[in-house]
Amino acid sequence: MSVIVPAHDEGALVRTTLERMLAEAAPGEFEVVVVANGCSDDTAAQARAVPGVEVVEIDRASKIAALNAGDAVATVLPRAYVDSDVAIDTAALRALADALSSPSPARAAAPALRIDSSRSSAAVRAYYRIWALSDYRASGHIGSGVYAVNAEGRARWEAFPDVIADDRFVQQRFLPDERLTLPGHSFTVAASRDMGSHIRRGVRIERGNRALPAQVQLAGQDPAAVRYARLLRRVGARPSLWPSLPAYVYGFGMVQLKARAERRSPVSWARDDSLRSAARA
């Protein structure tokens, strides 16, 4: 399997990510391509320090440009796309390759998403306790840092379009029964440190999702009122979660309001730098 890792100024994180990914891999088992895009730090050098990793450098700071540059170099299908700040081990990558290598119709796959909120505020931890019950998590979640496709699945689009939400773009190219969440395997994404950072991160994600052209979305979703009602029923059946609901309502509601207020301003790729500060510490 090819693994493409876009990385912009990720010198503090990328080597750790790669070493964890390849810790138990046999030589040549994975074709790993790191695309250092618009970097002003030692991202490329840190990636080159990991045996078996090919590094491509491009001047433009753009995740989409990096994904396309990686696709231009990679030679193997199935293909995984992995953010440089996630934690994923060799076993999970191997399971993705196994799941997508046998002849089959178009498929997209990902390990289960695990949110690490151990360094987050109490409000952020409460938010994610409710979010874990949302429809988004329950219906073939593909993305949020890792997704992979087989050869037939990758044929569903040519170059990545110039969008912010590449993971959402890919998820929506596959119907729910064409998506596979790998049992017994996970990857970890760090939650924001505080609610302010969470909201800024959420606004970028929400605006990116809203900017997706409708014609590229193969799989639709139920109306918002239906999805919210289902979530409330799930929470209502778990009294231990009731104290967490206000934090979720606030975190979700502020993201929606700010995304709507900023809808006329340009949307650009961004990240939560509080997580990078913690890594450097």
Side-chain angles (χ1 to χ4, degrees):
M1 184 172 70
S2 289
V3 182
I4 295 174
V5 183
H8 170 69
D9 284 348
E10 294 286 19
L13 297 173
V14 68
R15 185 169 179 175
T16 298
T17 298
L18 294 169
E19 289 176 340
R20 182 183 291 110
M21 283 170 43
L22 299 175
E24 299 178 4
E29 182 175 359
F30 300 106
E31 178 187 50
V32 179
V33 180
V34 173
V35 185
N37 58 101
C39 293
S40 59
D41 69 353
D42 63 345
T43 294
Q46 291 289 341
R48 287 192 178 100
V50 181
V53 173
E54 180 176 359
V55 178
V56 175
E57 296 185 70
I58 63 175
D59 293 334
R60 183 183 174 195
S62 162
K63 184 179 181 183
I64 293 300
L67 292 172
N68 287 326
D71 268 337
V73 171
T75 62
V76 180
L77 287 160
R79 188 160 299 163
Y81 303 87
V82 179
D83 287 357
S84 56
D85 59 349
V86 305
I88 183 170
D89 62 18
T90 308
L93 282 184
R94 189 173 290 138
L96 279 175
D98 290 345
L100 296 172
S101 290
S102 58
S104 69
R107 291 284 185 271
L113 169 63
R114 176 180 173 270
I115 299 292
D116 178 10
S117 59
S118 60
R119 293 179 295 175
S120 302
S121 67
V124 172
R125 293 197 302 272
Y127 172 92
Y128 278 108
R129 282 192 286 271
I130 304 298
W131 179 82
L133 298 177
S134 65
D135 278 13
Y136 181 62
R137 295 285 285 121
S139 58
H141 187 154
I142 299 296
S144 298
V146 177
Y147 54 88
V149 293
N150 63 1
E152 293 78 6
R154 186 59 187 84
R156 288 198 169 173
W157 74 97
E158 296 180 0
F160 280 89
D162 191 13
V163 297
I164 299 299
D166 63 287
D167 51 356
R168 183 70 169 174
F169 165 79
V170 171
Q171 175 168 307
Q172 293 300 299
R173 303 309 296 155
F174 297 86
L175 295 169
D177 61 1
E178 296 175 323
R179 308 176 202 154
L180 174 64
T181 300
L182 299 183
H185 296 281
S186 65
F187 69 98
T188 302
V189 173
S192 297
R193 299 293 295 274
D194 54 64
M195 186 57 79
S197 299
H198 165 82
I199 290 171
R200 288 190 293 274
R201 187 185 200 181
V203 169
R204 190 270 303 172
I205 293 170
E206 177 64 19
R207 295 190 65 206
N209 289 342
R210 292 183 182 188
L212 285 174
Q215 65 267 27
V216 306
Q217 299 195 35
L218 178 66
Q221 59 182 348
D222 291 332
V226 174
R227 290 181 280 119
Y228 302 155
R230 279 198 292 256
L231 177 60
L232 286 175
R233 286 196 295 272
R234 293 169 190 147
V235 175
R238 297 167 172 83
S240 64
L241 291 178
W242 295 354
S244 299
L245 189 57
Y248 178 81
V249 171
Y250 177 78
F252 178 82
M254 289 301 295
V255 164
Q256 300 301 309
L257 289 172
K258 287 180 176 291
R260 194 170 295 119
E262 297 174 14
R263 66 185 181 276
R264 298 186 187 280
S265 60
V267 57
S268 59
W269 184 86
R271 66 185 187 187
D272 186 346
D273 282 323
S274 69
L275 305 177
R276 276 77 184 170
S277 300
R280 294 186 186 96

